[in-house]
Amino acid sequence: RAACTPSDRASRDAKRRDAHARSERSRADDEAMATPQRTTQLAAAQIPAAAALSAAAFLHTPSYAAIVADEAERASFLRWLFERNYEWGAEHGVARVVLEGEELIAFFMFERPGLPPPSFVDMVRNGLLTALWRYGLAATRRLLATKSWFEAWEAEVLGPRAGTVARLERVTVLPARQGRGVGSRALREVADEADAEGLAIVLYTQDARNVTFYSRLGFEVIAERDSPVGGGYRNWMMLREPVTYQRNRQVRTLRRPQLD
């Protein structure tokens, strides 16, 4: 039998380590799947964890990079912003979390129509002046300009439907749980709620990969535009119609006369 060379032993050891790592990942996946997951309303005690999760997920999102250029300062800004935002969301019952056991593994906001967005007075009450002091006048102006631009764009695109559709925001999944269907399952539950109430859902994204993800959940791109805030960045507005609308549209398509 041929002698085993050092390179052979190294290759064999590397294969053993890879096999062990795969086994450990598989065991961790099995344990995670065995732990029941549930979607529930965000509790006040969970706000810091939800804000930290979102701040890490959205750190490099173009819209926030346009508001605060420095990365370290942006991380602090996003923690502050999301904590204030999620306090409002928890108060109005629109902020939700996915828990695995007691671990917070996902977060999103689902706002039904009729709930007005935080007003300027609400923002002052929730710490806008603190943002002005901490992050400066320029960043605060860009924050308000970004908010105003998205609201005006939505009103323009949706027209008479503005204010009659639900809104999906801040969808975030813990990195260690991504790729396992956590977000998809939670959002399908939301889609079922919207279908039962005959509600369309609108969302925004600045990531082309998210367009593909949300398309699989029934969303369609209804508008694209570059934001004028900062250096400009691409935005996709997506809409998911309720299932009753989708079925009616299919029926109308089938009934449409075919031209020879």
Side-chain angles (χ1 to χ4, degrees):
R1 188 173 60 179
C4 182
T5 66
S7 62
D8 291 335
R9 286 194 295 273
S11 176
R12 192 167 57 239
D13 290 343
K15 290 179 180 178
R16 287 199 190 103
R17 286 193 298 271
D18 289 344
H20 178 72
R22 286 195 297 271
S23 175
E24 288 296 305
R25 286 195 297 270
S26 176
R27 183 177 62 81
D29 288 348
D30 290 342
E31 290 177 354
M33 293 177 65
T35 305
Q37 296 176 0
R38 66 187 190 280
T39 303
T40 186
Q41 296 288 332
L42 174 71
Q46 298 166 331
I47 290 175
L53 175 63
S54 299
F58 291 103
L59 181 61
H60 300 291
T61 299
S63 57
Y64 296 119
I67 295 171
V68 180
D70 180 78
E71 185 174 315
E73 188 174 357
R74 191 188 318 135
S76 170
F77 168 79
L78 290 178
R79 286 284 294 267
W80 169 86
L81 177 68
F82 291 148
E83 283 192 9
R84 303 290 81 74
N85 191 211
Y86 296 172
E87 287 170 1
W88 176 89
E91 178 184 348
H92 291 87
V94 302
R96 303 187 189 184
V97 293
V98 179
L99 300 177
E100 190 173 85
E102 296 304 316
E103 183 182 10
L104 193 156
I105 63 171
F107 173 87
F108 61 93
M109 294 179 72
F110 177 60
E111 303 174 24
R112 288 178 169 82
L115 180 66
S119 66
F120 182 79
V121 174
D122 291 330
M123 295 177 73
V124 170
R125 181 168 58 89
N126 289 335
L128 181 62
L129 297 180
T130 301
L132 182 63
W133 176 72
R134 278 190 184 181
Y135 305 108
L137 178 60
T140 305
R141 280 179 171 170
R142 288 192 291 270
L143 171 63
L144 295 175
T146 299
K147 179 178 182 294
S148 297
W149 182 81
F150 275 105
E151 289 174 352
W153 185 35
E154 180 176 313
E156 175 191 335
V157 173
L158 294 182
R161 299 187 70 184
T164 68
V165 302
R167 181 176 288 102
L168 184 64
E169 295 183 312
R170 308 279 193 271
V171 179
T172 317
V173 177
L174 192 71
R177 297 294 187 274
Q178 291 176 6
R180 302 181 185 179
V182 174
S184 297
R185 282 192 296 272
L187 297 186
R188 286 193 181 99
E189 292 178 10
V190 166
D192 288 344
E193 289 181 37
D195 286 342
E197 299 175 32
L199 291 174
I201 309 173
V202 68
L203 64 80
Y204 306 93
T205 183
Q206 289 103 47
D207 190 332
R209 293 172 299 179
N210 289 342
V211 173
T212 301
F213 170 74
Y214 289 119
S215 295
R216 292 198 293 266
L217 296 171
F219 287 85
E220 296 180 0
V221 173
I222 58 172
E224 291 182 47
R225 187 172 295 180
D226 291 337
S227 168
V229 180
Y233 48 88
R234 197 65 167 171
N235 295 275
W236 287 268
M237 185 188 302
M238 303 186 72
L239 188 74
R240 182 190 182 276
E241 297 286 3
V243 68
T244 50
Y245 177 95
Q246 297 175 30
R247 288 171 179 166
N248 290 339
R249 185 169 61 178
Q250 291 172 353
V251 169
R252 288 195 300 269
T253 301
L254 291 173
R255 290 176 177 174
R256 185 178 302 160
Q258 300 296 316
L259 301 178
D260 294 331

